[in-house]
Amino acid sequence: MANVVESKKACAVNPLKMSQPLGASFAFMGLDACMPVMHGSQGCTSFGLVLLVRHFKEAIPLQTTAMNEVTSILGGYDNIEAALVNIYKRAAPKVIAICSTGLTETKGDDVDGYIVTVRKRKPELADTEIIYVSTPDYVGGFEDGYQHAVTAIVKTLVKPLPVRADQVTLLPGSHLTPADIDELREIIEAFGLNPIVLPDISGSLDGHIPPDWRGTTIGGTTLEQIRAAGASALTIGIGEQTREAALALQEIAGTPMEVYERLTGLEVNDRLLQRLSALSGNPVPAKYRRQRSQLLDAMLDGHFYTGGIKVAIAAEPDLLLAVGSLLHEMGAELRCCISTTKSAAHALLPAEQVLLGDLEDLEQAAADCDLLVTHSHGRQAAERLHKPLLRIGFPVFDRIGNAHRRMVGYRGTMDLIFSIANLMLENMDHHHAGDWPLTPEALRAATTTSARMADVTVTAGSCSTGSCGGCAPSNPTDLAEASV
Amino acid sequence: MSVSLKAKIAEVFEEPGCDKNQGKSEKERKKGCTKQLNPGAAAGGCAFDGAKIALQPIADVAHLVHGPIACEGNSWDNRHSASSHSQIYRSGFTTDINELDVIYGGEKRLFKSIREILEKYDPPAIFVYQTCVTALVGDDIEAVCQRASEKFGKPVIPVNAPGFAGPKNLGNKLGAEALLDYVIGTVEPEFTTPYDINIIGEYNLVGELWQVKPLLDALGIRVLSCISGDGRYNEVASAHRAKVNMMVCSKSMINIATKMEQRWGIPYFEGSFYGIGDMSDTLRQIAKLLVQQGAPDDLLERTERLIEVEEARAWKRIAHYKQRLAGKRVLLITGGVKSWSVVAALQEGGMEIVGTSIKKSTKEDKEKIKEIMGDDAHMIDDMTPREMYAMLRDARADIMLSGGRSQFVALKARMPWLDINQERYYPYGGYEGMVELVKQIDRALFNPVWQQVRIAAPWGDDGETLGAVQPAAKPLDFLATAAARSLGLEPEEVPV
């Protein structure tokens, strides 16, 4: 529905977008015993690492090929080889996942070719899977990087296998949290189905305490699970960004696919549960029937605070669609929608327009809005505009527990509704005695006769509480004299 | 790399104020001291990061990053150097270049971006940062900035420190070079006093400068400019009229201090605001140098009196904590100036340092550590996270002080941790900050949560949640294990 407009500005102010390699690295975080590597200069990795750490409050394995000016110009083969060997020696990961950056793409490094050469020259790496994905910084954003990385994982590792009727592959979008993934796994398993989650950050970024120090990811989809995805009876993707990987699975293993545009909201979840029921031959469990009923009640309770509010929202396409649609369903008006890149998801958004822009655009359009919705960087705009901010997406660095915030399924939708409603409640304007002053005309009309005027004076003076500033005697000496 | 950048880097490495450099032959010196980074085993920021960190605290300036989204999109709003005036430095400005810019060059977009910022925000100046991709495709930011300065009549300062030029520390210096080339000395202050100083390499993190400034104010010492914490463009531009320079962060911007000495004859010294003794020494040094430079003599006496009062008050306020913290062992993982300045502060708090990292420390820093800690200085050159974890897990230290990125090494080992780097929430500067530091360490160490998180799970697997990736034990096994434990046996000894 929404019309997509691209910003005409030369300069992005307060960017909403983050880079492709960061999104790709994030996807690789969901593979077990994996070490993601950014092929670029040190800073590329450092910036991404800091953001991931601040959002998840977790140790993040992320490495760099540490390109310098000479290797940038001559080509990064030596750095790739050295990085692979060093990582293998230090952390012995099962998977090393490389993403390119703007620097190495500009130079035009042929990483696919490099990997072939490394394989020949370094037999010790034979047991280590190497995945490569091209993610130039100057194209797309976080979600695009994630999308290409998941596709690269599928293309590198999945092979066709005989179909298992009770197995499904779940492709979560990058906007889902570890708690979201756990929720979906639980739902699928409740139907007696076995999900393979790809990638699965719920095992690696969910904030558990491992018994030992590991230099790599501490959980996630194992190599065996990824390979087994070739046997799934169905691929379920969450978010438009998973379509590419779902199609790749279809091509490789012939797996039928279904991409759900979102799983935040009532109707989409109904659809999912029905589908799972049909696939498994089992009825929807009582637990979810009850949760559905609870969600309905939550929507009823919540709509008082969301109905009619004007919202300015800035997020990556799939997240924008998920949260924006729910807000719309809860009676809010999507007055200003900002996103990062083009996506088929924008067509489904119940808003007039989506601007591919930045947080400056959000701030400028939000003057008459009641609520800002975006990542933590929006807090500066929210402070300046004195408006409540609902933090969603990545990064959220000024809140803890991001891994456990749930936004999908009936329960997750309910949680999100409560967050929004409570935020509106918290920021509700309190009225004061002076909020409804009479107009001068009305006052004059009320005080034209001297008798009426005397009445008014007496009334004002008779205020005994003194708590209302409006009727305190204007001259303190009057009071002093009166009390004498 | 452009010729001008190459020349600039060579110049930075000529640094006469660096004692490491003085020990080298002229040829070696020209090679510079940037360590080759180790692919796959490297960490830390790049030169762009360093330049941005050093200059961004100049708060009324728009900092525009010319490059793809990664450089600013992934990094903006990460560090908080407090500002008492403008907030524009907290906005992220980037040209966010696209594929066409990579192919045809991004100079036009850069020029337009500068114009947009001036039209919309009207800052007194714009700093333009070069990055890897735009340097590689050959965008000439110096030329664009010069043209923009002429056209718009506002200083537009190129900061030529693309990420691949080297590590963060080099970037600090290249950022400083931009100030030396284009900013310092371009504006005259409204008036000068015999008590004017510059503070260099102080970033006013969490407002630490403000813990110190009242002391200087009380003595009548004016901070003509702080480079760059809570900085204003015009103050930095008029820094050349100060009488004395103080270097805070060891060497990050030493080139400013040495060049200002050469150009304007301003003497400098290196001091620390961390710890009671160091804070007092710093005040004495400032007073001494100012008097040497012509300030009235009574400054020395007034300084001593202030120190006496402040020290007595500080010691009194930390006495309670000192008792509780006596003998507590600290693992300090930080860099540069903090590897010794915080050591001194911790020792004043009665704590024992079981190790301090010296990864980014200069020779002078290391000398200072030895001086403070004696011969058995536990200097750690490069400790891996695994080693830190083992050290904490084995309780060879009671608390770790480090930056945010390594905090989980401590937390996963269920040991207390305190942020000592740029993302911290509490300021530790001056006498006030010392009290705060000791208070925060006490708060971290004695939190009852540590007892809680160390309680082992009754079912024997130590409460670990690795079940998520390991196959769960069968109920039968679990019962057998429990039964074995209740008999005081290891499960393996019981046949199932």
Side-chain angles (χ1 to χ4, degrees):
Chain A
M1 252 191 290
N3 178 28
V4 179
V5 179
E6 280 188 73
S7 170
K8 294 275 186 296
K9 294 193 293 191
C11 175
V13 183
N14 298 340
L16 170 70
K17 190 164 62 171
M18 272 147 296
S19 71
Q20 276 213 91
L22 180 53
S25 304
F26 177 65
F28 295 135
M29 295 294 157
L31 304 188
D32 185 42
C34 173
M35 176 64 84
V37 184
M38 285 191 194
H39 181 36
S41 64
Q42 277 211 97
C44 305
T45 297
S46 164
F47 292 153
L49 186 67
V50 168
L51 270 195
L52 287 163
V53 164
R54 294 183 76 197
H55 179 89
F56 284 106
K57 321 284 183 214
E58 285 299 315
I60 300 292
L62 190 56
Q63 262 303 342
T64 170
T65 55
M67 297 291 281
N68 60 35
E69 47 131 357
V70 176
T71 54
S72 296
I73 291 158
L74 298 182
Y77 175 79
D78 291 341
N79 287 51
I80 294 248
E81 186 188 277
L84 288 170
V85 170
N86 283 334
I87 291 167
Y88 173 76
K89 277 191 204 142
R90 275 162 35 114
K94 290 193 178 127
V95 186
I96 301 177
I98 305 172
C99 27
S100 64
T101 62
L103 175 63
T104 51
E105 288 283 350
T106 306
K107 159 65 179 68
D109 271 4
D110 172 20
V111 181
D112 283 314
Y114 291 173
I115 292 172
V116 174
T117 314
V118 173
R119 285 282 187 213
K120 278 189 206 137
R121 283 168 47 102
K122 298 287 168 192
E124 66 262 40
L125 294 171
D127 293 336
T128 312
E129 292 288 354
I130 301 172
I131 301 170
Y132 168 66
V133 58
S134 162
T135 47
D137 292 311
Y138 43 77
V139 180
F142 188 87
E143 202 180 277
D144 304 272
Y146 180 90
Q147 170 181 333
H148 299 323
V150 179
T151 310
I153 296 168
V154 168
K155 287 189 173 161
T156 313
L157 298 173
V158 179
K159 301 279 179 295
L161 289 169
V163 175
R164 293 182 50 181
D166 65 343
Q167 181 182 302
V168 297
T169 303
L170 176 69
L171 304 175
S174 60
H175 55 308
L176 300 199
T177 64
D180 285 333
I181 292 172
D182 278 337
E183 181 76 9
L184 293 175
R185 190 198 333 267
E186 207 179 312
I187 291 173
I188 294 169
E189 282 173 350
F191 286 88
L193 299 165
N194 296 312
I196 289 180
V197 185
L198 182 64
D200 185 2
I201 55 163
S202 78
S204 53
L205 293 173
D206 61 335
H208 65 275
I209 309 262
D212 193 10
W213 184 258
R214 256 167 91 174
T216 63
T217 51
I218 54 171
T221 327
T222 61
L223 273 179
E224 293 70 35
Q225 286 171 326
I226 302 171
R227 293 197 180 109
S232 289
L234 176 69
T235 301
I236 297 173
I238 319 299
E240 193 52 42
Q241 61 187 298
T242 62
R243 189 176 297 277
E244 193 184 68
L247 282 168
L249 276 169
Q250 192 174 47
E251 202 167 301
I252 292 167
T255 321
M257 54 175 272
E258 237 160 67
V259 173
Y260 291 81
E261 70 275 20
R262 61 183 162 114
L263 281 180
T264 303
L266 185 70
E267 184 272 337
V268 274
N269 281 295
D270 291 350
R271 245 194 291 152
L272 174 74
L273 294 189
Q274 253 179 321
R275 183 73 184 86
L276 292 175
S277 176
L279 183 72
S280 65
N282 292 325
V284 173
K287 176 177 163 184
Y288 295 107
R289 296 165 193 234
R290 186 166 170 77
Q291 280 184 15
R292 189 177 194 284
S293 162
Q294 288 168 338
L295 171 60
L296 289 175
D297 187 59
M299 293 175 93
L300 290 171
D301 293 346
H303 84 283
F304 293 108
Y305 313 103
T306 49
I309 61 169
K310 294 186 282 291
V311 178
I313 176 169
E316 294 219 272
D318 284 337
L319 182 61
L320 174 62
L321 180 67
V323 178
S325 300
L326 179 70
L327 278 163
H328 172 78
E329 284 157 4
M330 293 291 295
E333 178 195 342
L334 302 184
R335 177 62 67 91
C336 159
C337 299
I338 313 281
S339 194
T340 50
T341 52
K342 286 182 184 162
S343 164
H346 296 321
L348 304 171
L349 190 72
E352 262 175 41
Q353 180 188 305
V354 174
L355 176 68
L356 304 184
D358 53 36
L359 296 179
E360 183 191 51
D361 298 321
L362 180 85
E363 188 170 346
Q364 281 171 355
D368 67 338
C369 287
D370 304 297
L371 174 67
L372 302 191
V373 183
T374 188
H375 53 49
S376 280
H377 287 304
R379 73 199 194 291
Q380 295 188 28
E383 275 164 30
R384 284 190 283 264
L385 295 170
H386 305 291
K387 299 207 186 276
L389 170 68
L390 176 73
R391 288 160 174 83
I392 55 161
F394 178 86
V396 174
F397 47 71
D398 54 352
R399 290 288 184 274
I400 63 163
N402 295 312
H404 300 285
R405 287 175 65 189
R406 194 169 38 197
M407 272 179 21
V408 301
Y410 296 135
R411 270 199 299 193
T413 307
M414 186 172 82
D415 290 349
L416 180 61
I417 289 171
F418 290 154
S419 309
I420 298 169
N422 286 331
L423 189 63
M424 296 314 295
L425 266 167
E426 193 182 316
N427 285 278
M428 208 174 257
D429 270 340
H430 293 284
H431 294 298
H432 301 281
D435 279 356
W436 297 275
L438 287 183
T439 59
E441 293 92 301
L443 278 175
R444 235 175 290 130
T447 54
T448 36
T449 67
S450 53
R452 292 294 296 167
M453 275 173 90
D455 275 350
V456 170
T457 314
V458 170
T459 312
S462 70
C463 172
S464 57
T465 64
S467 62
C468 93
C471 61
S474 58
N475 187 351
T477 55
D478 289 351
L479 190 66
E481 278 163 20
S483 65
V484 165
Chain B
M1 195 183 292
S2 70
V3 180
S4 63
L5 177 56
K6 222 176 227 167
K8 205 33 93 185
I9 291 176
E11 205 180 313
V12 166
F13 288 132
E14 282 290 334
E15 187 46 63
C18 168
D19 13 87
K20 239 186 200 169
N21 238 357
Q22 282 163 355
K24 291 179 184 169
S25 72
E26 198 181 331
K27 201 175 162 195
E28 259 182 282
R29 206 177 303 165
K30 283 213 170 109
K31 269 196 218 150
C33 52
T34 295
K35 261 194 287 177
Q36 264 314 304
L37 302 168
N38 195 358
C46 56
F48 156 70
D49 191 15
K52 187 89 186 294
I53 290 163
L55 301 182
Q56 187 165 342
I58 302 177
D60 55 354
V61 159
H63 299 269
L64 169 60
V65 177
H66 183 40
I69 194 68
C71 307
E72 184 69 350
N74 294 357
S75 75
W76 76 285
D77 203 13
N78 260 357
R79 288 172 179 253
H80 306 285
S81 154
S83 163
S84 61
H85 49 106
S86 175
Q87 296 292 324
I88 190 172
Y89 72 116
R90 291 183 63 201
S91 288
F93 296 99
T94 172
T95 49
D96 181 13
I97 60 160
N98 59 33
E99 271 169 302
L100 287 180
D101 297 316
V102 173
I103 296 162
Y104 295 110
E107 291 176 356
K108 277 199 181 131
R109 181 183 285 269
L110 174 58
F111 189 81
K112 276 197 218 158
S113 296
I114 293 168
R115 187 173 57 209
E116 280 176 14
I117 292 171
L118 288 172
E119 280 168 1
K120 276 191 285 193
Y121 296 92
D122 193 32
I126 298 179
F127 282 32
V128 174
Y129 297 81
Q130 181 66 293
T131 61
C132 292
V133 172
T134 48
L136 203 59
V137 301
D139 281 2
D140 187 346
I141 64 161
E142 271 107 353
V144 175
C145 289
Q146 196 189 346
R147 177 81 188 98
S149 298
E150 287 161 12
K151 170 121 186 181
F152 306 120
K154 277 263 170 87
V156 181
I157 314 297
V159 182
N160 200 355
F164 61 57
K168 194 151 70 180
N169 185 263
L170 173 68
N172 294 150
K173 293 189 170 68
L174 291 174
E177 286 292 318
L179 293 184
L180 285 162
D181 287 348
Y182 297 98
V183 185
I184 297 171
T186 58
V187 168
E188 289 300 325
E190 275 177 31
F191 63 96
T192 56
T193 76
Y195 301 99
D196 288 353
I197 65 165
N198 296 320
I199 302 177
I200 299 168
E202 162 59 48
Y203 303 123
N204 195 31
L205 287 170
V206 233
E208 273 175 356
L209 178 64
W210 299 328
Q211 293 181 311
V212 173
K213 206 165 162 287
L215 298 165
L216 301 172
D217 289 344
L219 292 169
I221 296 167
R222 176 169 76 149
V223 181
L224 184 61
S225 80
C226 179
I227 300 174
S228 49
D230 198 19
R232 285 175 168 83
Y233 181 79
N234 283 326
E235 286 177 359
V236 177
S238 63
H240 61 298
R241 294 301 177 213
K243 299 287 185 283
V244 169
N245 278 337
M246 173 186 173
M247 288 277 320
V248 178
C249 185
S250 312
K251 303 292 176 185
S252 74
M253 296 209 276
I254 189 166
N255 43 338
I256 292 191
T258 51
K259 288 214 175 118
M260 287 183 82
E261 190 171 36
Q262 287 161 16
R263 288 184 197 171
W264 294 287
I266 304 170
Y268 73 89
F269 76 100
E270 188 179 348
S272 161
F273 292 143
Y274 297 120
I276 294 171
D278 284 344
M279 183 64 228
S280 302
D281 282 349
T282 294
L283 288 176
R284 279 190 195 103
Q285 285 265 29
I286 294 174
K288 196 178 89 191
L289 282 173
L290 279 174
V291 170
Q292 274 173 19
Q293 292 284 93
D297 276 354
D298 70 310
L299 177 61
L300 296 173
E301 199 200 317
R302 289 190 290 123
T303 304
E304 286 304 330
R305 266 186 277 153
L306 176 68
I307 288 172
E308 200 179 317
V309 174
E310 283 291 325
E311 282 200 352
R313 177 161 177 267
W315 285 118
K316 201 173 153 199
R317 288 168 74 194
I318 62 172
H320 161 70
Y321 299 110
K322 217 180 147 179
Q323 218 176 353
R324 288 159 59 90
L325 298 178
K328 292 288 178 196
R329 293 157 305 164
V330 183
L331 177 60
L332 182 62
I333 304 290
T334 179
V337 65
K338 274 175 288 177
S339 52
W340 58 266
S341 60
V342 175
V343 167
L346 293 172
Q347 288 184 338
E348 284 171 349
M351 282 160 279
E352 183 195 332
I353 320 297
V354 290
T356 180
S357 62
I358 47 163
K359 207 172 165 187
K360 283 186 276 179
S361 306
T362 60
K363 190 178 152 205
E364 204 171 290
D365 289 334
K366 287 175 205 167
E367 287 301 319
K368 284 205 173 112
I369 298 171
K370 271 190 205 151
E371 203 178 293
I372 298 164
M373 296 178 66
D375 285 337
D376 58 336
H378 302 280
M379 289 192 269
I380 304 163
D381 200 13
D382 193 5
M383 199 179 206
T384 66
R386 192 186 298 277
E387 286 160 348
M388 289 179 215
Y389 176 82
M391 192 162 182
L392 291 159
R393 189 88 210 235
D394 302 345
R396 280 178 279 147
D398 297 304
I399 184 170
M400 180 163 96
L401 270 54
S402 76
R405 281 193 287 179
S406 40
Q407 65 182 288
F408 308 104
V409 173
L411 298 181
K412 300 281 175 190
R414 303 163 207 221
M415 291 301 278
W417 170 80
L418 187 69
D419 197 345
I420 195 79
N421 278 6
Q422 66 273 1
E423 283 146 21
R424 64 181 177 266
Y425 289 105
Y426 303 99
Y428 301 136
Y431 304 107
E432 281 295 328
M434 180 65 199
V435 179
E436 187 64 43
L437 174 65
V438 177
K439 185 171 144 197
Q440 291 304 328
I441 293 176
D442 184 273
R443 200 178 127 194
L445 268 174
F446 293 101
N447 192 318
V449 75
W450 301 115
Q451 268 90 56
Q452 293 294 315
V453 297
R454 291 171 197 154
I455 295 173
W459 46 86
D461 71 349
D462 199 25
E464 316 293 7
T465 45
L466 263 201
V469 284
Q470 281 172 350
K474 283 183 219 143
L476 190 68
D477 290 345
F478 168 71
L479 288 177
T481 307
R485 289 246 157 81
S486 70
L487 296 168
L489 297 169
E490 280 309 304
E492 291 79 14
E493 299 174 59
V494 181
V496 179

